[in-house]
Amino acid sequence: MDAEARASPPMTAPPSATAQADRLTSTRASAASAAGSGAAASRSSGPVSTRWARGFRRTAHAVRRNPLTLSLIEARPQVQLAFALRFSCGAVLAGDARYGGGFPLARFACGLAVWQCAVVAVYLCNGVVDVTGDRVNGSRRPIAGGDLSPRLATCFTAGFAVVALASAAAIGLGFFAGTAAFLALGAVYSLPPFDVRKRFLGATIVTTAAGLLTYAAGASLDRGLGRPVLLTAAVMAAWMGLIGATTKDFGDSPGDREAGRHTLFGVLGDTGLRRLVALSALVVAGSFVVGASLVAATVVPAAVVMLVGAAVLARHAVHGSVTTCDLADRRARDRLRVPYRIFMATQLATHVAVLVSVAGVTALSGRSP
């Protein structure tokens, strides 16, 4: 009997349905676990670039939210660029007038940095004072948008002004005087009791003087003030004071009315101001072409660039849609600012053309810039 038991194989019961279900569930869980492990391994090994991109975005967001960055944005980067180009053209054209010697690059870089601090202080101050009008006009700058408090912006304004004055004194007495005069013009433009923004004539005079000072400050670094500098400074300051001030009125007219300013838009109306912009742009650009052809051949290409921009601006001013609009419509507000953008683009292109022309003349003549 024992032998029969050893010879006969044991009888096993067939697997129940419950056991089969348990095995199926276990198999699926194992597969899911393997898939999860593979995905985790992929996330840990593959997307290094993804983690880097996320970190970069977080860093960029932190930089954008930094009060210093917001202050620089409030001071209008496009305006800062325009002043940097004016300063650079003054310095380069002064070097071109000397006809000899090396360009003082280190002195120029220091002077440009100091002047830009003064520019930021002036336009940051303007943003603090003009916050009500900017909000009415739908401005998206940090102070009007609530991202930068006026109190903190005022502190940064004072800081930039102090740095500009202290650094300018280290460069020289004449440069210090020019920097102080520029800051004083900014105060006269924005701060009471002067606040010359409320009158077109006063705003034009101050804006033109600030432009002339910028060219003169750049030229003072190289001790050369010849006809190219004088002609370019006079024409571009006129472009800045006459065309810039009038085209700005289109987009700022609602805020100007709220602040009680008497601008040409309020005096001449839409049609009259459009005609004045067109005529002024063509006269200033045409004068530049004639003057450059007579006394400063170096800047003739720049004068041609300005004339093309003036023609585009005149055409848009006469035929474009620049009438008042519903401020709730962002596209309509943007259309109001098109003339000013054409003015700014023409100004930047003209300055770049000046720099390229001087560089080309310098290279062809074999002189050190």
Side-chain angles (χ1 to χ4, degrees), residues 158-170:
F160 276 109
V162 169
V163 169
L165 288 172
S167 304

Side-chain angles (χ1 to χ4, degrees), residues 35 79 179 311:
V79 174
T179 304

Side-chain angles (χ1 to χ4, degrees), residues 60-262:
H61 178 73
V63 170
R64 285 197 301 268
R65 304 298 298 178
N66 184 278
L68 177 59
T69 304
L70 292 173
S71 297
L72 295 175
I73 294 173
E74 179 65 36
R76 307 170 202 181
Q78 71 274 20
V79 174
Q80 298 172 45
L81 176 60
F83 273 98
L85 288 173
R86 292 178 190 127
F87 189 94
S88 301
C89 286
V92 169
L93 287 172
D96 185 63
R98 287 188 310 114
Y99 288 98
F103 184 75
L105 185 58
R107 183 177 171 85
F108 163 76
C110 293
L112 178 60
V114 171
W115 199 259
Q116 289 304 103
C117 285
V119 172
V120 171
V122 166
Y123 279 86
L124 192 53
C125 173
N126 178 260
V128 172
V129 175
D130 205 24
V131 60
T132 301
D134 286 341
R135 285 173 178 165
V136 171
N137 292 330
S139 173
R140 286 167 279 187
R141 291 199 296 270
I143 295 179
D147 297 321
L148 180 65
S149 70
R151 184 186 297 273
L152 187 56
T154 301
C155 295
F156 275 107
T157 299
F160 276 109
V162 169
V163 169
L165 288 172
S167 304
I171 292 177
L173 181 60
F175 198 83
F176 173 81
T179 304
F182 184 85
L183 291 171
L185 287 173
V188 168
Y189 185 83
S190 298
L191 297 178
F194 308 102
D195 196 10
V196 299
R197 298 170 301 159
K198 294 184 176 180
R199 301 285 177 181
F200 170 75
L201 182 59
T204 300
I205 291 173
V206 170
T207 303
T208 304
L212 289 172
L213 261 178
T214 302
Y215 290 104
S220 70
L221 297 177
D222 210 15
R223 297 191 180 92
L225 196 62
R227 288 176 296 183
V229 181
L230 294 175
L231 175 64
T232 304
V235 171
M236 295 308 299
W239 181 263
M240 177 182 174
L242 294 176
I243 317 304
T246 51
T247 54
K248 188 174 180 291
D249 285 350
F250 290 120
D252 291 348
S253 55
D256 290 336
R257 287 195 299 269
E258 181 75 17
R261 301 190 190 106
H262 302 282

Side-chain angles (χ1 to χ4, degrees), residues 276-293:
L276 179 63
V277 167
L279 179 62
S280 301
L282 292 175
V283 168
V284 172
S287 301
F288 195 16
V289 171
V290 173
S293 301

Side-chain angles (χ1 to χ4, degrees), residues 11 33-34 47 49 93-95 129 144 152-153 166 262 307 310 316 336 342 351:
M11 300 294 293
S33 176
S49 59
L93 287 172
V129 175
L152 187 56
H262 302 282
L307 185 60
H316 183 86
L336 287 177
I342 297 175
H351 283 106

Side-chain angles (χ1 to χ4, degrees), residues 239 243-244 246-247 250 274 277-282 306-320 338-344 346:
W239 181 263
I243 317 304
T246 51
T247 54
F250 290 120
R274 281 189 281 141
V277 167
L279 179 62
S280 301
L282 292 175
M306 173 179 274
L307 185 60
V308 172
V312 174
L313 176 57
R315 185 182 184 282
H316 183 86
V318 173
H319 300 291
V338 169
Y340 181 77
R341 289 170 181 166
I342 297 175
F343 149 79
M344 182 62 73
T346 302

